Amino acid sequence: KQEVTQIPAALSVPEGENLVLNCSFTDSAIYNLQWFRQDPGKGLTSLLLIQSSQREQTSGRLNASLDKSSGRSTLYIAASQPGDSATYLCAVNTGGFKTIFGAGTRLFVKA
Amino acid sequence: EAQVTQNPRYLITVTGKKLTVTCSQNMNHEYMSWYRQDPGLGLRQIYYSMNVEVTDKGDVPEGYKVSRKEKRNFPLILESPSPNQTSLYFCASSHGPPRDTEAFFGQGTRLTVV
């Protein structure tokens, strides 16, 4: 059974710091991995989608990598800003219509 | 603006009183899903739909019903809500199968059953 784990559960960093959020999954047979941002009262916003054949995706200050063989993905945020404060979720699709989510990492960027 | 819209955003109800949470998308997406989010558990899939009149169970379907009579709408029905269904609910849609395309989420419905 696929399980998705995100460590740490919470993270506090000073503004300007580069940081890495981690996501691990137990079964490497995935079709894609997606990173989301969740803000209170605003639902989930898709940040990056990495297909299983890809190694990484970039969008602005965000870079997500995928290592299927080791069951890991990282979300790198460069030059963090207070506006980056949110909960970050990763989700893997295991085929068909099954998407498994991690519990998320709550990020707080201090001004 | 492309979006997934859920209503209501907040709902407090009593045990056993039937309720419906609506979900509508304006992107002509074929695939729609319902999730619930509970602290420490992440999002868990309740039901999904591949197209009009085609639905199937997710991981936690007990106590819920869905229907897909129109492509844009995918309501979630709680026939007899119980306190353990107190949760944050999200509707999502995607153009293609989730294994191929990104998902778009609504803003969530916070349900409290007393």
Side-chain angles (χ1 to χ4, degrees):
Chain A
K1 179 184 176 184
Q2 179 74 268
E3 294 183 357
V4 180
T5 303
Q6 292 186 246
I7 296 174
L11 181 64
S12 180
V13 300
E15 181 177 8
E17 188 163 303
N18 301 325
L19 60 99
V20 173
L21 306 181
N22 296 297
C23 173
S24 62
F25 45 95
T26 55
D27 187 346
S28 61
I30 66 169
Y31 281 82
N32 62 43
L33 184 144
Q34 193 166 358
W35 283 94
F36 294 88
R37 169 183 172 138
Q38 183 176 15
D39 295 282
K42 295 188 177 180
L44 279 69
T45 302
S46 176
L47 297 174
L48 291 163
L49 172 69
I50 311 176
Q51 297 292 353
S52 62
S53 59
Q54 298 174 319
R55 298 281 297 185
E56 65 178 343
Q57 284 283 353
T58 298
S59 176
R61 294 182 295 108
L62 306 179
N63 176 277
S65 68
L66 174 64
D67 184 342
K68 275 182 54 177
S69 61
S70 67
R72 295 180 60 187
S73 176
T74 60
L75 179 66
Y76 175 83
I77 302 177
S80 59
Q81 303 170 358
D84 295 329
S85 298
T87 297
Y88 291 81
L89 301 170
C90 71
V92 300
N93 180 269
T94 58
F97 308 96
K98 279 285 204 180
T99 299
I100 311 297
F101 282 80
T105 294
R106 183 177 296 179
L107 173 66
F108 179 63
V109 181
K110 298 173 286 187
Chain B
E1 179 187 355
Q3 58 186 7
V4 179
T5 303
Q6 296 179 225
N7 280 297
R9 297 286 313 280
Y10 303 91
L11 179 60
I12 301 174
T13 190
V14 296
T15 298
K17 185 176 181 180
K18 180 179 179 179
L19 66 91
T20 299
V21 184
T22 65
C23 174
S24 180
Q25 49 90 8
N26 63 0
M27 296 169 279
N28 201 37
H29 284 172
E30 292 186 348
Y31 299 84
M32 298 185 75
S33 295
W34 275 103
Y35 295 86
R36 62 178 287 172
Q37 185 179 33
D38 301 290
L41 294 179
L43 277 78
R44 293 178 293 168
Q45 192 176 49
I46 302 171
Y47 269 96
Y48 58 90
S49 171
M50 298 79 84
N51 213 324
V52 175
E53 302 291 1
V54 184
T55 64
D56 206 349
K57 298 177 181 178
D59 292 323
V60 288
E62 295 77 21
Y64 304 95
K65 287 176 57 177
V66 294
S67 69
R68 188 92 181 272
K69 293 182 171 57
E70 304 167 282
K71 196 172 186 178
R72 64 184 293 127
N73 296 322
F74 190 42
L76 180 69
I77 303 159
L78 284 71
E79 294 271 3
S80 182
S82 61
N84 64 13
Q85 292 178 298
T86 292
S87 188
L88 180 59
Y89 291 86
F90 288 101
C91 179
S93 73
S94 59
H95 178 67
R99 69 169 187 261
D100 297 329
T101 58
E102 67 177 311
F104 296 85
F105 280 75
Q107 294 185 322
T109 296
R110 185 167 293 281
L111 172 65
T112 302
V113 184
V114 299

